[in-house]
Amino acid sequence: MSRARRSPTDRPDAGFTIMEVLIALAVVAVSIVAIGSVMSTNARGVTKLENHVALMQSVQTVLATAIPQRKELGPGRLSGELRDYRWQVDIAPLGGDWEVKDAPWIPELVTVRVRSPTGATVDLETVRLMRGARR
């Protein structure tokens, strides 16, 4: 009996079976899908954050430029548009119906509403003092 010498590729442990290759491909595919999902979620989060920052910058700009100076401040509504962001400023007495008599300064409630082109809205309330009736 002659012993035939087996080549290294004929050994049972020489390579991968088709099942092992398919399982490895499935694991790689699931990993790629998971990474893609994380990247997509990250991109959406970054976009939302950028939109929020732009909205808040518009609110800051409206607060700095749209509200009249103290000497011109009075009850009423102002509105406008700034870089496709619609804004509205409502100025009303702070206490509603209560009257302040003979006070040098009267608090006014200033409500700022800014709406972005995407539909997001920010409402901000602040108090400003206006000159009262002069004695």
Side-chain angles (χ1 to χ4, degrees), residues 50-115:
E50 287 173 346
N51 290 340
H52 182 71
V53 167
L55 180 60
M56 294 311 289
Q57 285 175 339
S58 295
V59 169
Q60 245 180 346
T61 303
V62 168
L63 275 173
T65 60
I67 299 173
Q69 299 293 323
R70 279 199 174 114
K71 60 185 173 191
E72 301 164 2
L73 188 67
R77 174 176 283 177
L78 305 168
S79 62
E81 192 169 317
L82 172 71
R83 296 184 312 258
D84 294 333
Y85 288 79
R86 294 180 183 269
W87 58 267
Q88 177 179 318
V89 176
D90 292 316
I91 303 168
L94 179 64
D97 294 338
W98 49 275
E99 284 186 36
V100 178
K101 294 183 180 180
D102 299 328
W105 296 97
I106 299 172
E108 293 284 329
L109 178 65
V110 178
T111 305
V112 178
R113 171 173 278 174
V114 178
R115 182 182 176 98

Side-chain angles (χ1 to χ4, degrees), residues 25-43:
L25 284 174
V27 168
V28 168
V30 167
S31 299
I32 289 173
V33 167
I35 290 171
S37 174
V38 167
M39 295 297 287
S40 173
T41 302
N42 253 358

Side-chain angles (χ1 to χ4, degrees), residues 4-34:
R5 204 166 193 184
R6 286 186 170 187
S7 68
T9 57
D10 289 341
R11 294 188 342 223
D13 61 344
F16 296 109
T17 65
I18 190 74
M19 287 305 289
E20 291 170 332
V21 171
L22 289 176
I23 290 172
L25 284 174
V27 168
V28 168
V30 167
S31 299
I32 289 173
V33 167

